[in-house]
Amino acid sequence: MKKKLNKNSLNGFINYGIILVVYLVLQFLIGGGMVSNSLQSLLVPACCYVVMAMSLNLTVGILGELSLGHAGFMSLGAFSGIVTSILLQSVLPAVPLRLAVSMAAGALAGGLGGVIVGVPVLRLRGDYLAIVTLAFGQIIKNIIMVLYVGVDGTGLHVALNSDRFILAEDGTTIIKGPMGAVGVTKLASFTAGFVLILITLLVVQNLVNSRAGRAIMALRDNRIAAESVGINVTKYKLMAFVISAALAGAAGALFGLNYSSTVASKFDFNTSILVLVFVVLGGLGSIRGSMIAAALLYVLPELLRSFDIAEYRMLIYAIILILVMLATNNPTLKNFFGSVFKKKKKPASRTSK
């Protein structure tokens, strides 16, 4: 047990170290003018997708349930964070504090969406759960596309029809239906994304290594056996699902506050599938793998653009995805690398004896 705890602690410190080193190196490169503006613009979204991948891995890899509506929680967080930011513009002039409160509001909105979806849906399993979560993501997107939100001297106004949306002359429209949120003040920064990744990693790793995390993994491995020893299935499933949704909401708030305008179509089915690809390629249940896969694969198309092969970059990107998928799911390669590691460990164990 002691060795296991030490191993978990070591893996946790390695993950924190990787994030810290990458942040410091990128800050050094940016300060030296060695990172192009196009790549700098990808840093905040990359942080958001890293958080999304880690949070989805909590549902798909740790809990073992397939969710295809993770972008729905991200959209809830994005638009909730934008509305909160504009409402607090005069109350909290300090940008870091307003950003933190907006991200907290996004996490709250995402967590609330997780509760609304999770309570009735987590009774389902397999393909049925995936279909319902997919439907939830589409419903959220369609609702936001007809949503009008504004604020004036009398308070906040919300309507689902432009004809019923009436503001005073001094009013400000925040969300304009299909046009989305416009005129948003950019608050997001790479440092805020770095902090959010650290918080997400802290939450996910502590949950996985806790008693609740072991109960969640027991449900994933054998639900009947876990239920027979008294594990509350609904409680632990809902816990993992809501935490995953809340983290996605926080990432959505940071994502939405990185642009001057945000539309609901950015959080469609393709976004959910993209995040799921990051999780699968990084390894189900592997938090470090999700971080690395999301960061590299999100930036990869832009890196390919810089090699004068812009017209072929998506083709190369698709080929790389296929090759990585084949490599990670090939039993021959797994056995080969497993035998290599065993050979390396045997001499060390003999000398220790």
Side-chain angles (χ1 to χ4, degrees):
M1 186 68 180
K2 187 176 180 181
K3 291 182 179 179
K4 185 177 181 181
L5 290 174
N6 290 335
K7 183 179 179 181
N8 291 334
S9 300
L10 179 61
N11 286 330
F13 285 125
I14 290 174
N15 292 336
Y16 290 122
I18 291 173
I19 296 171
L20 182 59
V21 169
V22 170
Y23 173 75
L24 293 177
V25 169
L26 286 175
Q27 289 286 37
F28 174 77
L29 294 177
I30 293 171
M34 291 178 279
V35 179
S36 64
N37 292 331
S38 59
L39 285 177
Q40 287 187 43
S41 65
L42 296 178
L43 292 179
V44 173
C47 291
C48 297
Y49 278 105
V50 167
V51 173
M52 288 288 291
M54 286 194 290
S55 62
L56 183 59
N57 208 346
L58 184 59
T59 300
V60 178
I62 308 301
L63 180 60
E65 298 290 355
L66 180 60
S67 173
L68 297 179
H70 213 53
F73 303 120
M74 189 180 186
S75 65
L76 284 176
F79 289 99
S80 299
I82 290 172
V83 172
T84 303
S85 172
I86 294 177
L87 291 177
L88 297 177
Q89 196 165 4
S90 58
V91 180
L92 295 175
V95 171
L97 182 58
R98 192 160 80 249
L99 177 60
V101 174
S102 300
M103 290 169 62
L108 182 62
L112 182 61
V115 172
I116 294 174
V117 177
V119 170
V121 166
L122 288 177
R123 300 175 184 272
L124 305 174
R125 288 189 293 173
D127 297 339
Y128 299 103
L129 176 63
I131 292 171
V132 174
T133 53
L134 169 62
F136 165 75
Q138 295 301 107
I139 290 171
I140 292 298
K141 187 191 77 170
N142 291 330
I143 290 176
I144 294 176
M145 290 187 69
V146 298
L147 183 66
Y148 292 83
V149 178
V151 60
D152 57 17
T154 60
L156 187 67
H157 297 265
V158 181
L160 294 176
N161 192 328
S162 58
D163 298 333
R164 299 180 181 178
F165 184 66
I166 301 173
L167 290 177
E169 294 182 358
D170 62 338
T172 301
T173 303
I174 304 174
I175 301 177
K176 293 184 178 180
M179 296 177 63
V182 295
V184 180
T185 303
K186 297 181 183 180
L187 303 179
S189 65
F190 178 45
T191 301
F194 164 72
V195 173
L196 181 59
I197 291 176
L198 287 180
I199 293 174
T200 303
L201 187 58
L202 178 67
V203 171
V204 173
Q205 287 190 157
N206 284 341
L207 176 63
V208 171
N209 296 327
S210 67
R211 180 181 178 183
R214 292 190 291 272
I216 291 170
M217 288 185 283
L219 290 172
R220 175 197 64 190
D221 296 335
N222 194 318
R223 173 174 175 165
I224 297 176
E227 212 169 357
S228 67
V229 296
I231 293 178
N232 191 325
V233 175
T234 304
K235 173 186 173 181
Y236 289 108
K237 272 193 169 186
L238 190 62
M239 178 188 298
F241 196 74
V242 171
I243 292 175
S244 174
L247 294 173
L254 182 66
F255 186 89
L257 292 171
N258 188 52
Y259 301 98
S260 58
S261 62
T262 303
V263 295
S265 58
K266 285 186 177 180
F267 311 101
D268 58 2
F269 172 68
N270 293 326
T271 303
S272 296
I273 294 299
L274 179 64
V275 179
L276 183 61
V277 168
F278 295 155
V279 172
V280 173
L281 291 182
L284 294 178
S286 174
I287 305 302
R288 188 183 308 159
S290 296
M291 293 191 304
I292 296 173
L296 292 181
L297 294 178
Y298 182 78
V299 180
L300 183 60
E302 186 60 34
L303 292 177
L304 293 175
R305 188 194 296 270
S306 61
F307 289 104
D308 294 330
I309 50 174
E311 61 271 20
Y312 302 110
R313 72 183 192 282
M314 296 311 295
L315 175 62
I316 297 173
Y317 179 71
I319 293 173
I320 291 174
L321 288 181
I322 294 172
L323 292 176
V324 172
M325 183 68 73
L326 291 175
T328 54
N329 291 277
N330 191 319
T332 304
L333 289 176
K334 285 184 178 180
N335 293 333
F336 171 75
F337 287 116
S339 62
V340 170
F341 288 129
K342 285 181 180 178
K343 288 179 181 178
K344 288 183 178 181
K345 289 181 180 178
K346 280 183 180 179
S349 60
R350 288 176 182 173
T351 55
S352 62
K353 289 180 181 178

